[in-house]
């Protein structure tokens, strides 16, 4: 304060001060950069070079040339220092990288350099690296740089798949935006079950057809027990938040894991709705499939509708029965759905006193799961 | 600009972010595109084609991928950058892209999109790079196009109208190009595959909704474009919002052409080439110019792996000489 009045800067003055500040910073930066380039040109790989590059990379970790130079310096130091000194140098490097990643966790340069350092450390501490990934992912579990780094750490240190699955359990439980975690799970699940080798390793030659197997139908089979647990997990997710895209996309992928043969997976019938829902092991076209519904020995005239009104192919088809045919709860009925194109069929018995039923010839848990899924479809699909 | 870019060109080939820096595929891609946009003889002659081919060879990996720069990381961006500059400047040596197709294909996963490297989640930027690279190599039909189509159309946000980069992430203006730009590529690929139900007027995304998002939400009132409201403007978002806007405005193939211009006539942008993202005339002109020159005869085959020293005896240290 001067003479009782506060001296206030005008906007123009503030702008000017900012500009001078920026210019000052730029001068320092350019001087450091030029010093780096000139040192490198002279083939100098000393402490000062490390200092200079550190200074610059702290504010600009995307300066790839400087990471390259830093690697040259470190490789040179490896040749003139002993193993313990090298260990210390690289540990200091890891600390430096951590501070870089705190500022910008998405810099290609920083992550790549960290991977390079970890591979060169005489005594790498993979547990510490994993913990870094844990922390980084707890802040942003969609950071693919970190997921990629994590995969490397897991591979180098032999972390068990089960442990990684537990990690994703924690992440999925705590974070809303958890698609990367589901995705990571999708890569872990098949590893638990080596019964499903890739097509390539099986026949020795790379598959050479004009239409290679779609990545969606890749032979990443997962065993039934594991699958059911996974279904539960992801159903919990979308029942908690039906608007979470992740769970639905992952679910869709999961549904493809178990199916092997071409068959009618399940038939569901509802007395109240007077409706039959049929699930297939793959999308079919009801017309060309030759779907036939037989009720108590009598073929029924029904109109099959897919759950996706505009799609001619659907894994689920639904039809309404003529009114009154099954509404009396004191009557038992026997239903058969024929997939005439594939010469296969499924029976379903609707017992007295029961308002609904699903095929029960093999009452595995998977069947129960399919019934529940069909029930959901049948209730929520409106025509 | 030509002079500046000439200073950014590395003595050992390729372009760097700035003078004195190491060459990197991203600025190489940008520099070649910029020079093709300028399109003068002077601009074309800035590019040292022989050295550029050497540079690409030095980045090539045994598994078909490319690193982004000597001593740098691998991801599918590099294949696109390499294929883009090689095809424009006519330096596609035989075997330069050997195994690259299979590597790119291995980046397509169960989601339908492509990840940066095999095993990660599908991502708009990488998906565009992978698909566009395959289009350049003539191998786009080897992708599961239907799965890719399903994935990308699911990335347009029903409320905002713009695109997200990955499932369950927020909208971002730059994906107006990376994601929406896939649809022209898919349209053509599916057409070539014999698909008969393709529209002759529209791409398979909501063009109007995307234009609304870009024009209403992605403009800085003092100029330039951005990610989403609240973010600051930058050249990257300005470029890709405008590129996406152009895609959304223009439908076109061999026989058919249809425009959808939201708002005033002045909003119309020039059409952009869906592979290179510069004007189609500029692509044609560059290709015509460089076709007259022969493909450089590079005796160098695929370079050393990412971390080791280069094989040239004259330079014992890694990276180009200053």
């Amino acid at each position: 304060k001067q003479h009782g009045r506060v001296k206030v800067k005008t906007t123009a003055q503030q702008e000017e001060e900012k500009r001078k500040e920026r210019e000052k910073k730029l001068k320092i930066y350019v001087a450091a950069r030029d010093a780096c380039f000139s040192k490198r040109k002279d083939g100098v790989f000393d402490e000062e070079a490390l200092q200079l590059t550190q200074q610059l990379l702290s504010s600009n970790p995307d300066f790839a040339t400087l990471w390259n130079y830093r690697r040259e310096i470190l490789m040179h130091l490896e040749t003139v220092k002993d193993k313990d000194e090298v260990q210390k140098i690289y540990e200091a490097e890891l600390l430096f990288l951590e501070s870089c990643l705190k500022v910008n966790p998405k810099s290609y340069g920083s992550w790549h350099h960290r991977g390079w350092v970890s591979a060169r450390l005489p005594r790498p501490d993979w547990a510490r690296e994993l913990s870094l990934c844990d922390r980084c992912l707890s802040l942003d579990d969609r950071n693919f740089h970190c997921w990629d780094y994590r995969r490397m750490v897991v591979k180098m240190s032999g972390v068990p798949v089960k442990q990684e699955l537990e990690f994703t359990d924690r992440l999925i439980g705590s974070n809303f935006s958890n698609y990367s975690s589901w995705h990571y799970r999708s890569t872990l699940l098949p590893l638990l079950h080596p019964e499903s080798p890739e097509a390539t390793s099986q026949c020795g030659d790379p598959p050479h057809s004009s239409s290679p197997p779609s990545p969606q139908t890749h032979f990443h089979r997962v065993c039934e027990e594991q699958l059911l647990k996974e279904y539960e997990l992801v159903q919990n997710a979308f029942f908690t938040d039906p608007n979470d895209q992740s769970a639905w996309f992952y679910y869709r992928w999961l549904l493809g894991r178990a199916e092997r043969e071409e068959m009618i997976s399940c038939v569901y019938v509802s007395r109240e709705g007077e409706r039959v829902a049929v699930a297939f092991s793959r999308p079919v076209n009801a017309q060309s499939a030759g779907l036939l519904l037989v009720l108590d020995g009598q073929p029924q005239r029904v109109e099959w509708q897919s759950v996706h009104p505009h799609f001619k192919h659907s894994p689920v088809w639904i039809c309404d029965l003529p009114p009154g045919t099954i509404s009396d709860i004191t009557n038992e009925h026997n239903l058969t759905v024929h997939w005439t194109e594939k010469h296969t069929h499924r029976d379903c018995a609707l017992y007295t006193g029961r308002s609904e039923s699903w095929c029960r010839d093999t009452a595995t848990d998977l069947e129960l799961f399919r019934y529940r899924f069909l029930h959901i479809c049948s209730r929520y699909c409106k025509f | 600009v030509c002079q500046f870019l000439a200073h950014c060109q590395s003595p050992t080939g390729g372009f760097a972010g700035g003078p004195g820096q190491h060459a990197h595929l991203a600025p190489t891609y940008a520099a070649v595109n910029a020079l093709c946009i300028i399109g003068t003889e002077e601009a074309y002659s800035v590019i040292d084609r022989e050295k550029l081919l050497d540079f690409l060879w030095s980045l090539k990996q045994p598994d078909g991928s490319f690193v982004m720069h000597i001593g740098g990381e691998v991801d599918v961006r590099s294949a696109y950058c390499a294929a883009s500059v090689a095809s424009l400047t006519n330096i596609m040596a035989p075997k330069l892209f050997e195994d690259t197709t299979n590597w790119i294909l291995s980046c397509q996963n169960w989601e339908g999109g492509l990840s940066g490297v095999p095993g990660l989640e599908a991502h708009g930027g990488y998906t565009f790079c992978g698909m566009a690279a395959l289009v350049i190599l003539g191998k786009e039909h080897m992708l599961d196009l239907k799965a890719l189509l399903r994935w990308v159309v699911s990335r347009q946000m029903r409320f905002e109208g713009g695109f997200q980069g990955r499932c369950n992430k927020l909208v971002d203006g730059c994906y107006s190009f990376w994601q929406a730009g896939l649809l022209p590529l898919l349209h053509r690929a599916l057409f070539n595959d014999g698909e008969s139900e393709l529209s002759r007027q529209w791409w398979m995304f909501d063009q109007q909704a995307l234009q609304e998002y870009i024009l209403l939400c992605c403009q800085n009132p003092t100029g330039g474009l951005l990610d989403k409201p609240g973010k600051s403007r930058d050249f990257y978002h300005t470029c890709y919002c405008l590129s996406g806007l152009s895609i959304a405005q223009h439908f076109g193939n061999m026989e058919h052409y249809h425009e959808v211009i939201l708002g005033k006539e002045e909003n119309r942008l020039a059409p952009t080439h869906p592979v290179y993202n510069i004007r189609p005339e500029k692509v044609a002109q560059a290709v015509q110019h460089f076709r007259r020159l022969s493909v450089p005869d590079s005796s160098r085959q695929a370079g050393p792996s990412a971390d080791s020293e280069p094989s040239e005896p004259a330079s014992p240290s890694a990276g180009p000489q200053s």
Side-chain angles (χ1 to χ4, degrees):
Chain A
K1 271 192 178 187
Q2 283 193 326
H3 308 300
R5 282 170 296 148
V6 173
K7 191 169 159 81
V8 173
K9 295 175 193 168
T10 65
T11 313
Q13 277 178 312
Q14 282 178 326
E15 283 295 319
E16 181 58 21
E17 269 180 30
K18 276 190 194 158
R19 195 189 65 81
K20 282 210 168 102
E21 186 66 41
R22 276 199 301 268
E23 230 180 75
K24 199 169 127 193
K25 274 190 177 157
L26 184 62
K27 262 205 166 105
I28 297 173
Y29 179 90
V30 169
R33 183 203 64 194
D34 289 345
C36 268
F37 280 7
S38 118
K39 270 175 117 49
R40 197 183 163 278
K41 188 174 183 180
D42 297 334
V44 176
F45 302 123
D46 61 9
E47 275 296 325
E48 197 196 353
L50 271 180
Q51 282 290 358
L52 280 169
T53 50
Q54 178 161 329
Q55 190 186 323
L56 288 163
L57 288 165
S58 307
S59 55
N60 185 4
D62 294 321
F63 203 146
T65 304
L66 293 183
W67 285 118
N68 282 353
Y69 183 26
R70 216 171 156 80
R71 284 188 277 272
E72 287 173 337
I73 299 165
L74 291 166
M75 284 194 290
H76 167 77
L77 291 176
E78 271 183 33
T79 62
V80 299
K81 305 264 182 185
D82 68 52
K83 224 173 180 193
D84 284 332
E85 284 172 311
V86 171
Q87 175 78 15
K88 282 208 180 70
I89 290 169
Y90 279 132
E91 279 173 1
E93 195 69 3
L94 289 176
L95 269 171
F96 167 52
L97 278 166
E98 230 177 280
S99 67
C100 290
L101 289 171
K102 275 204 181 76
V103 170
N104 181 356
K106 298 188 189 180
S107 166
Y108 285 95
S110 306
W111 285 105
H112 181 71
H113 190 69
R114 196 175 183 96
W116 184 87
V117 170
S118 293
R120 289 188 94 86
L121 250 180
R123 294 183 297 277
D125 185 348
W126 295 117
R128 176 217 172 128
E129 294 307 299
L130 202 63
S131 148
L132 171 81
C133 290
D134 288 348
R135 277 178 287 137
C136 183
L137 291 173
S138 68
L139 291 170
D140 174 8
D141 90 330
R142 304 305 299 274
N143 185 337
F144 60 75
H145 299 276
C146 187
W147 282 107
D148 202 21
Y149 186 72
R150 190 187 182 92
R151 287 188 319 155
M152 187 271 288
V153 170
V154 162
K155 184 173 167 201
M156 294 298 285
S157 58
V159 176
V161 174
K162 196 160 175 291
Q163 190 178 315
E164 285 298 274
L165 276 173
E166 280 162 21
F167 170 69
T168 59
D169 282 334
R170 291 199 297 278
L171 226 59
I172 286 165
S174 60
N175 290 355
F176 171 72
S177 176
N178 48 34
Y179 189 77
S180 303
S181 311
W182 287 115
H183 191 277
Y184 191 52
R185 282 185 85 88
S186 78
T187 64
L188 295 173
L189 286 183
L191 296 176
L192 292 174
H193 306 282
E195 37 147 285
S196 41
E198 297 279 318
T200 46
S201 55
Q202 215 165 22
C203 39
D205 289 324
H208 97 89
S209 51
S210 51
S211 53
S214 143
Q216 298 207 307
T217 58
H218 258 169
F219 307 153
H220 289 144
R221 301 270 172 241
V222 182
C223 88
E224 191 166 303
E225 186 201 331
Q226 198 62 45
L227 257 188
L228 288 167
K229 284 197 207 142
E230 204 67 12
Y231 288 139
E232 281 293 334
L233 197 66
V234 74
Q235 280 181 8
N236 285 340
F238 61 64
F239 279 127
T240 307
D241 182 5
N243 289 319
D244 181 354
Q245 291 180 356
S246 330
W248 289 107
F249 274 89
Y250 184 63
Y251 194 53
R252 195 169 190 278
W253 173 77
L254 264 186
L255 292 171
R257 294 313 91 208
E259 313 300 355
R260 288 174 206 269
E261 332 140 41
E262 290 197 307
M263 54 184 227
I264 299 171
S265 322
C266 188
V267 173
Y268 165 80
V269 58
S270 161
R271 248 192 238 273
E272 184 194 305
E274 299 195 278
R275 173 173 276 192
V276 177
V278 185
F280 295 86
S281 58
R282 62 159 174 84
V284 302
N285 178 326
Q287 278 72 49
S288 58
L291 285 193
L292 183 60
L293 179 65
V294 176
L295 177 65
D296 302 325
Q298 300 292 325
Q300 301 292 309
R301 273 202 104 93
V302 291
E303 202 182 290
W304 292 102
Q305 307 240 12
S306 80
V307 291
H308 305 279
H310 299 297
F311 288 8
K312 298 191 207 112
H313 285 79
S314 174
V316 177
W317 288 87
I318 300 180
C319 71
D320 291 321
L321 289 167
T325 36
I326 57 169
S327 45
D328 189 338
I329 204 160
T330 61
N331 288 340
E332 177 179 312
H333 296 284
N334 285 299
L335 234 98
T336 305
V337 177
H338 292 266
W339 184 357
T340 58
E341 185 197 9
K342 297 288 170 185
H343 313 289
T344 182
H345 67 275
R346 259 229 188 264
D347 301 312
C348 183
L350 179 59
Y351 299 110
T352 310
R354 292 280 210 237
S355 62
E356 60 186 5
S357 181
W358 64 97
C359 44
R360 267 193 231 246
D361 44 308
T362 38
T364 62
D365 287 335
L366 200 51
E367 295 286 304
L368 287 172
F369 154 72
R370 287 180 185 136
Y371 146 70
R372 220 156 71 200
F373 172 62
L374 269 188
H375 186 172
I376 295 167
C377 275
S378 149
R379 282 189 78 174
Y380 292 109
C381 291
K382 298 193 180 349
F383 299 116
Chain B
V1 172
C2 290
Q3 279 172 18
F4 173 69
L5 290 177
H7 283 128
C8 292
Q9 186 163 219
S10 164
T12 48
F15 291 81
Q21 296 179 36
H22 293 171
H24 185 295
L25 274 173
T28 301
Y29 165 78
V32 170
N33 263 3
L35 291 165
C36 289
I37 289 172
I38 295 169
T40 58
E41 287 289 324
E42 183 198 356
Y44 295 142
S45 64
V46 165
I47 305 168
D48 184 332
R49 294 164 69 247
E50 285 75 20
K51 288 272 159 58
L52 180 58
L53 182 55
D54 287 346
F55 176 58
L56 296 183
W57 275 122
S58 74
L59 304 175
K60 182 78 189 291
Q61 301 301 297
D63 66 355
S65 64
F66 289 79
V67 291
M68 290 299 289
H69 63 97
I70 303 273
E73 71 277 10
V74 166
D75 63 53
V76 73
R77 291 174 297 159
S78 59
Y80 171 59
C81 293
S84 178
V85 306
S87 54
L88 284 173
T89 61
N90 189 26
I91 58 172
M92 309 263 294
K95 293 191 191 290
L96 178 60
F97 293 104
E98 186 167 65
D99 295 326
T100 305
T101 296
N102 285 331
W103 189 86
I104 298 173
L105 290 174
S106 72
C107 292
Q108 181 173 34
N109 66 21
W110 56 268
E111 302 175 71
L114 280 70
S115 52
V117 292
L120 293 180
E121 46 173 328
H123 180 293
Y126 294 124
T127 303
F128 178 85
C129 289
M131 171 128 203
L134 288 174
V135 168
I136 294 172
L137 299 175
K139 298 285 199 288
E140 70 276 19
H141 57 273
M142 296 183 74
L143 286 165
D144 182 340
L145 296 173
K146 293 279 171 71
L148 178 43
L149 177 63
R150 168 182 282 280
W151 178 81
V152 65
V153 300
S154 304
R155 304 279 72 76
Q156 184 165 26
M157 314 288 276
R158 70 181 67 220
F159 179 69
E160 295 93 325
F163 281 78
Q164 62 186 179
R166 295 181 263 167
C167 183
N168 226 3
K169 288 210 88 180
L170 300 176
V171 70
D172 182 335
C174 70
Y175 294 114
S176 307
F177 179 74
W178 302 122
Q179 299 283 35
L182 282 165
L183 290 143
L185 297 176
L186 280 164
H187 208 101
R188 189 170 160 280
L190 288 166
F191 177 80
N192 289 340
D193 246 13
E195 184 58 52
S196 55
E197 299 291 311
L198 290 166
S199 167
R200 289 178 226 184
Q201 287 197 299
W202 318 102
W203 304 122
M204 285 181 276
F205 72 93
D206 191 331
Q207 291 167 242
Q208 170 150 338
L210 180 59
Q211 291 187 49
E212 283 173 4
Y213 178 68
I214 296 169
L215 292 171
L216 298 173
C217 304
C218 294
Q219 294 196 75
N220 179 305
T222 57
L225 291 95
L226 35 97
D227 164 353
K228 59 173 67 64
K231 301 280 185 166
S232 50
R233 62 190 178 174
D234 60 58
F235 283 116
Y236 165 81
H237 284 96
T238 300
C239 172
Y240 288 103
C241 281
L242 289 174
S243 305
L245 184 58
S246 173
I247 300 277
Q249 288 178 343
H250 302 282
F251 171 90
N253 61 19
M254 291 297 165
E255 293 119 31
H256 305 98
Y257 187 72
H258 185 71
E259 272 181 9
V260 182
I261 312 294
L262 190 79
K264 305 179 288 190
E265 251 317 286
E266 295 94 274
N267 290 347
R268 178 195 278 104
L269 298 178
T272 187
H273 193 292
V275 171
Y276 300 98
N277 195 22
I278 62 178
R279 288 167 68 156
E281 313 87 84
K282 300 292 186 180
V283 172
Q285 197 186 305
V287 165
Q288 194 182 45
H289 170 88
F290 288 108
R291 283 269 176 280
R292 283 190 240 113
L293 309 171
S294 54
V295 178
D297 179 36
S298 187
S299 52
R300 293 258 322 262
Q301 293 297 288
S305 66
D307 288 322
S308 65
E309 313 281 339
S311 52
E312 283 191 282
S315 66
S317 55
Q321 300 287 330
S322 321

